[in-house]
Amino acid sequence: MTDLTAAFETAVAQSKTLPARPDNPTLLKLYALYKQATEGDNTGKKPAFSEIVERAKWDAWSKLKGTAPDAARQQYIDLVEALKAA
């Protein structure tokens, strides 16, 4: 296990115990970075317009297309650190 992977797993655990619940755009960013870091580019079918939550998640993840998994891991770690400090 690399240092980045270990730090990412720690950040994932810490994201569940943040002092305050992040706002919805931040939660979507965390979701998208996690999915990009663990699964790579979004290849799923775009949800219907009426599926509001699923569509928002899909859109957030799709915006990260082409981002390397390691870069997504680092961005996730940085975001969790910023949320812990807030």
Side-chain angles (χ1 to χ4, degrees), residues 28-48:
L28 281 172
K29 183 74 173 172
L30 284 168
Y31 170 83
L33 287 169
Y34 178 84
K35 294 293 271 185
Q36 188 71 20
T38 58
E39 297 182 29
D41 289 343
N42 184 354
T43 58
K45 185 178 177 227
K46 191 171 193 174

Side-chain angles (χ1 to χ4, degrees), residues 50-69:
S50 61
E51 298 174 20
I52 297 168
V53 173
E54 292 81 7
R55 179 82 175 246
K57 288 179 173 182
W58 190 93
D59 286 341
W61 183 12
S62 290
K63 287 178 185 175
L64 296 177
K65 183 175 183 176
T67 303

